[in-house]
Each structure stands twice: as structure tokens, then as C-alpha cells.
């Protein structure tokens, strides 16, 4: 542990709390956006990022000459609107979002460094935080270039991102704002014992 977030200054704990609250709110709206455009099932993700959607979009282009007819259309016939991300848009999304996800992962990792955790626990949390965006965009690109079956990799990246944030936010909030009570079997020092030890130059055997 490089520093102790549990016993840090009130201003530091307040800063970390507001940062976690802001990131948590953005994650909620991010999940809402994913539900609107990509979905949380492998099939929906494959339709959004796979190459098949580009062929469908190309087939929907109107011909040079058209004939207009009118007839009643029900909502069931209209179906769901399909949102598809082509290669150019995926290049733009990767360029914009990968650095942003890296900054968020770094901020959460710095918070994790101040938590009371074993070394392997801190290493695991940091690995999960940075693996999430790699899985997310690797799944998108593999779905588009290789096979729709890789859509599950994108879903794994999204869940890893949510898991990493939840662990850091829960541990940090608990350790910063819930004071630790001494164990009932741990004897508390008697009043005046500390002063006597200082005057005597050390602890008595």
C-alpha cells in the first residue's frame, strides 16, 4: 500500500468520494446507452458490430427510381430500429474511447493503491480495470473482422468494467467513512501509560 486512504485528510476522502459518485453516474448512463443501441445479448452485439449489418444497410439504399404507394402500417410490422456501427465509426469510437477508458482505469487504480488490500488483491483489481477496455474493443473488432461469436468478448469487457468499478467504489467508501472499531480481545492502553513509557524511555518488559 503506497498510501493509506483510510487515514487520509478529509479533503482527499471527499475528493475520492465525489470522483466515485461522478464515475458511477456516468456508468449508469453508459449502461442505458448500451441498452438502447447495442443491447446486452451476444446476438444484439453481433448485429450492431458485425459485418452483416453493413450489407443490410447497403441493401436498404433506395434505387434510382422509386414508386410511392401508401398503406396502413402497424407497429408490429415496423419492428425495432437497427443500430449498426460500421468500420469507420468503430475506428473513431476506438480512437476516442480507449484513452478515456485508460484515464478512468488509472484513476480507479490510484484509489485502489490506497486501500487496505493484499498485494495480489491490488494487482488483480488493476488488471481487471485495464483488461476491461481491451476486451471491450477487441470483441468489437473481432466481431466485425472475424466472427459474430466474438460478441461475447465485448460483453465480458463491459461486465469487467462494471465489476472493477463496483469493487473499488465499495471498498473505498467503506474504508474511508466507516471507522474501524478495535477488536474486543485487544486490550486498550490505560490512561497515563503512554506518558510513563515516554518518560522512562521505552516500554516496560
Amino acid at each position: 500500500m503506497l498510501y493509506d486512504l483510510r487515514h487520509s485528510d478529509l479533503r482527499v476522502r471527499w475528493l475520492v468520494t465525489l470522483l466515485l459518485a461522478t464515475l458511477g453516474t456516468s456508468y449508469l448512463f453508459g449502461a442505458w446507452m448500451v441498452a438502447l443501441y447495442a443491447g446486452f445479448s451476444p446476438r444484439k452485439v453481433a448485429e450492431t458490430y458485425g459485418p452483416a449489418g453493413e450489407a443490410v444497410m447497403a441493401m436498404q439504399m433506395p434505387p434510382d427510381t422509386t414508386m410511392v404507394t401508401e398503406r396502413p402500417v402497424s407497429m408490429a410490422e415496423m419492428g425495432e430500429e437497427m443500430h449498426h456501427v460500421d468500420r469507420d465509426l468503430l475506428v473513431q469510437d476506438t480512437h476516442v474511447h480507449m484513452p478515456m477508458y485508460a484515464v478512468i482505469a488509472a484513476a480507479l487504480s490510484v484509489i485502489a493503491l490506497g486501500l487496505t488490500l493484499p498485494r495480489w488483491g491490488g494487482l488483480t483489481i488493476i488488471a481487471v480495470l485495464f483488461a476491461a477496455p481491451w476486451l471491450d474493443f477487441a470483441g468489437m473488432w473481432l466481431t466485425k473482422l472475424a466472427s459474430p461469436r466474438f460478441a461475447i468478448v465485448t460483453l465480458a469487457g463491459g461486465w469487467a468494467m462494471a465489476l472493477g468499478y463496483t469493487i473499488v467504489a465499495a471498498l473505498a467508501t467503506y474504508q474511508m467513512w466507516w471507522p474501524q472499531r478495535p477488536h474486543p480481545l485487544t486490550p486498550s492502553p490505560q490512561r497515563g501509560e503512554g506518558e510513563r513509557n515516554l518518560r522512562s524511555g521505552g516500554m516496560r518488559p
Side-chain angles (χ1 to χ4, degrees):
M1 184 171 60
L2 298 181
Y3 66 98
D4 189 358
L5 193 58
R6 187 195 302 269
H7 301 100
S8 61
D9 187 86
L10 176 62
R11 293 167 294 181
V12 175
R13 288 180 284 151
W14 183 234
L15 183 153
V16 171
T17 302
L18 293 180
L19 175 62
L20 291 173
T22 304
L23 291 178
T25 303
S26 68
Y27 276 144
L28 290 177
F29 279 95
W32 191 357
M33 185 186 70
V34 170
L36 290 175
Y37 293 105
F40 292 103
S41 67
R43 181 183 64 84
K44 295 291 293 182
V45 174
E47 291 177 357
T48 302
Y49 296 100
E54 297 178 3
V56 172
M57 295 297 290
M59 292 174 58
Q60 292 178 350
M61 293 297 293
D64 295 335
T65 60
T66 59
M67 181 178 63
V68 179
T69 59
E70 295 183 3
R71 70 179 184 87
V73 179
S74 64
M75 295 299 295
E77 292 178 307
M78 294 179 63
E80 296 182 359
E81 180 182 359
M82 179 180 175
H83 178 77
H84 184 263
V85 177
D86 59 15
R87 187 182 61 182
D88 294 342
L89 183 57
L90 185 54
V91 170
Q92 177 181 331
D93 286 348
T94 306
H95 166 69
V96 173
H97 290 102
M98 279 289 282
M100 180 185 67
Y101 289 155
V103 172
I104 294 175
L108 293 175
S109 298
V110 171
I111 295 175
L113 292 175
L115 299 177
T116 303
L117 292 171
R119 183 180 295 270
W120 65 264
L123 291 173
T124 302
I125 291 176
I126 294 173
V128 169
L129 291 171
F130 279 95
W134 280 98
L135 291 173
D136 191 19
F137 282 96
M140 295 178 193
W141 280 105
L142 290 172
T143 300
K144 180 168 295 295
L145 301 178
S147 170
R149 296 181 179 179
F150 285 103
I152 192 68
V153 179
T154 294
L155 293 175
W159 286 112
M161 195 176 301
L163 177 64
Y165 168 80
T166 302
I167 292 175
V168 173
L171 290 177
T173 302
Y174 177 78
Q175 294 188 14
M176 287 189 302
W177 300 110
W178 271 262
Q180 296 296 304
R181 297 179 179 178
H183 194 277
L185 298 181
T186 303
S188 58
Q190 297 180 358
R191 183 178 179 85
E193 184 177 349
E195 290 82 355
R196 291 195 300 269
N197 290 334
L198 289 175
R199 288 194 297 266
S200 61
M203 297 292 294
R204 289 181 297 176

